[in-house]
Amino acid sequence: MKNTITELHKAAQYLAAAGISFIDKKTDDSHTNVGWNVSESRMETHVFGDGLKLGLNLKNQRLELLKNDVVISFLDLGNFNHKEIIQWITEQAVQNNVSKPYVYSFHYDLPYGEITDDYTFSFKEEDLKIVSSELSKAQDVFEQFLKLENLESPIRVWPHHFDLGIYAALNAENSFMGAGLAIPDSLVDDLYFYASGYKNGVAIKTKSFGKMQEGEWRSDWNGATLASQGVGVEKALSFLVAAKEKFQQYEE
C-alpha cells in the first residue's frame, strides 16, 4: 500500500506543476491543490486556459486532459517515462492554446529523491481501489461535516503533504479547524483522519483533552487522529464533530 501511495504522490505532482504553471498564484498556495472527483476516481486541477483541467485517474492509471469536464486526451502512466509524460503535457497545453509554458518545478520539498527522466510508474490495482475508496469516503465525510456544522471550506488535496483536507473558521472568535485524510506517516501507519485547532493563530494544545469515543487526542502532536480503513462514515463524522466542539469551547 505505501509504495502505491508514494507513486500516487509523485504522479500528483504533474497536476501541481500544472497549477503552478498555468494558474495565477494565490497567497495561500491554493492554485496548486486539486479536487477529488468521486464518480470518476480522479484528482483534478482547478480550471485553466479555455475550460481545461489536468486529471489523475486512479481507476484507469492515466493522466487525462479535460475540457469542460470531458476527457479530450489521455496518457497511460505505465507506458511512458517521466520525460515523455512532461513532453505530453507540454504538447497538450500548446495544442489547446494555453499561453503559459508547462514547467515541472516546485517551491516546496518532496519526501523522495529527484525523479529521473527514465523513471516509470508502477501501481498495484488493488491498492488503487482502496485509496480511491478511502478518498471518496473522506469526501463524503467532509461534505456532511461542513453541512451539519454550518461551516465553509473547499475540500481539496494538497500535493505537498498529499492530504485531502478542509480548513474552516469556527463559531468562536479567531478560532479555526483543520481536518483531513492523511497518508501513513510517523503518527499513524495507515491512511488516517486528523483534526487540529487554532486560536489567534496558535495551535490549540490538545494533550490534556482526555479520551475520545472515536480516535484519540495525541500526546505527540497538537491534534487528534483516527485510522481510516475499516471506519465508516458515521464514526468518522462523529470524530470530526467531537474535535470541533472541543476546539470551539477552548479558552486560552
Side-chain angles (χ1 to χ4, degrees):
M1 173 68 79
K2 288 185 179 179
N3 288 338
T4 294
I5 291 174
T6 297
E7 290 287 85
L8 286 173
H9 194 178
K10 293 177 181 179
Q13 301 313 310
Y14 296 118
L15 276 61
I20 294 169
S21 300
F22 303 144
I23 299 171
D24 291 341
K25 183 177 180 179
K26 305 288 180 62
T27 56
D28 63 357
D29 225 28
S30 59
H31 59 292
T32 69
N33 67 31
V34 300
W36 176 248
N37 185 320
V38 172
S39 62
E40 300 296 332
S41 296
R42 182 173 61 213
M43 294 180 188
E44 301 175 352
T45 66
H46 293 282
V47 174
F48 59 88
D50 185 17
L52 301 172
K53 293 180 183 178
L54 185 64
L56 172 59
N57 192 309
L58 276 62
K59 182 168 52 180
N60 297 322
Q61 302 178 34
R62 67 190 194 185
L63 288 178
E64 298 177 337
L65 184 69
L66 299 93
K67 184 168 184 176
N68 299 324
D69 294 321
V70 176
V71 176
I72 59 173
S73 184
F74 64 86
L75 179 110
D76 291 318
L77 285 172
N79 295 332
F80 297 89
N81 63 33
H82 175 62
K83 183 178 180 179
E84 292 167 332
I85 292 169
I86 290 178
Q87 183 178 354
W88 177 81
I89 298 172
T90 300
E91 291 173 350
Q92 292 300 315
V94 171
Q95 291 172 15
N96 285 276
N97 302 312
V98 178
S99 59
K100 299 177 181 179
Y102 180 74
V103 180
Y104 187 84
S105 179
F106 310 96
H107 52 278
Y108 51 81
D109 295 325
L110 294 166
Y112 43 77
E114 182 180 355
I115 298 181
T116 59
D117 286 347
D118 60 354
Y119 187 89
T120 57
F121 288 87
S122 177
F123 301 102
K124 289 186 178 181
E125 187 172 348
E126 289 305 312
D127 288 347
L128 288 175
K129 289 180 180 178
I130 293 172
V131 175
S132 293
S133 176
E134 293 300 310
L135 285 169
S136 294
K137 177 177 69 179
Q139 181 79 21
D140 185 13
V141 169
F142 295 135
E143 287 177 358
Q144 289 195 44
F145 173 69
L146 292 171
K147 183 177 180 180
L148 178 67
E149 298 297 323
N150 194 29
L151 301 175
E152 294 184 2
S153 171
I155 305 170
R156 306 290 290 183
V157 177
W158 293 82
H160 182 195
H161 296 293
F162 207 45
D163 59 330
L164 176 68
I166 61 172
Y167 188 78
L170 301 179
N171 300 320
E173 187 175 359
N174 296 322
S175 295
F176 296 84
M177 175 176 173
L181 177 73
I183 61 177
D185 58 19
S186 60
L187 289 179
V188 182
D189 192 27
D190 190 4
L191 290 165
Y192 67 94
F193 287 98
Y194 68 86
S196 56
Y198 304 88
K199 180 82 169 180
N200 296 320
V202 179
I204 293 174
K205 294 179 173 58
T206 61
K207 296 177 182 179
S208 61
F209 276 11
K211 293 185 177 181
M212 303 182 79
Q213 184 172 349
E214 306 295 343
E216 63 175 326
W217 294 111
R218 307 291 304 201
S219 60
D220 51 356
W221 176 65
N222 287 321
T225 59
L226 172 69
S228 176
Q229 290 193 62
V231 171
V233 170
E234 186 175 336
K235 286 188 176 182
L237 186 59
S238 175
F239 164 76
L240 293 179
V241 170
K244 181 255 184 184
E245 290 176 352
K246 206 73 171 176
F247 294 144
Q248 192 160 285
Q249 296 166 2
Y250 178 78
E251 294 184 2
E252 294 177 286

